[in-house]
Amino acid sequence: MASLTRLPDGRLGLLYERADYQHITYASFDLKWLGGTCADVTITPPTTLKAGADAKITVRVVSRMDVRRGPGTVGLTVPAGWTAKPVTVPALNPGQGANVKVPVTVAAGASGNAALTATYRTGGLQASGSGTAAVTP
């Protein structure tokens, strides 16, 4: 079992059990140490993508931080032979979200389901989300 909480100084405190509940351990750290930012990142591709065609994939980023995040970018990791261009995400207040459209070009011979990963980067930190897109020949 574990418990995670934000401390008054902005750091995070983690209390967890180890060794089959024989030890209780406490650690504190900040999100910079983790290299991440707290954000929901979801991918909504079109119903189907056509092989060899250009398309736009919607990525939604919602800040779960309690501080404002400056502008950032979203990039897509796509299968071999595809291309994707990163796009700008506006600054986000706590709880605020933004939808961005990431342009992709689907490989000419692609078909079936394709795994996609969207990575949101802001202020040297990042968060990711994954999804699947259906490709028709």
Side-chain angles (χ1 to χ4, degrees):
M1 186 144 123
S3 180
L4 180 69
T5 189
R6 181 172 294 276
L7 302 172
D9 67 357
R11 294 173 57 82
L12 299 172
L14 176 64
L15 186 68
Y16 61 100
E17 298 169 337
R18 299 182 296 120
D20 200 24
Y21 308 105
Q22 295 179 20
H23 301 281
I24 296 176
T25 303
Y26 173 78
S28 70
F29 49 89
D30 59 24
L31 284 174
K32 188 172 184 178
W33 178 79
L34 289 175
T37 188
C38 191
D40 296 334
V41 180
T42 53
I43 299 172
T44 307
T47 304
T48 58
L49 299 171
K50 186 169 169 77
D54 293 333
K56 292 195 178 188
I57 306 231
T58 301
V59 176
R60 179 157 181 81
V61 177
V62 178
S63 175
R64 297 298 177 200
M65 298 297 294
D66 60 358
V67 296
R68 181 177 171 83
R69 284 284 177 223
T73 61
V74 165
L76 278 177
T77 302
V78 293
W82 293 40
T83 60
K85 296 181 182 176
V87 296
T88 300
V89 176
L92 297 173
N93 290 318
Q96 184 179 21
N99 290 335
V100 295
K101 300 227 182 246
V102 180
V104 298
T105 301
V106 180
S111 65
N113 290 328
L116 307 171
T117 300
T119 303
Y120 165 60
R121 291 181 172 86
T122 180
L125 305 173
Q126 67 182 37
S128 297
S130 299
T132 303
V135 180
T136 58

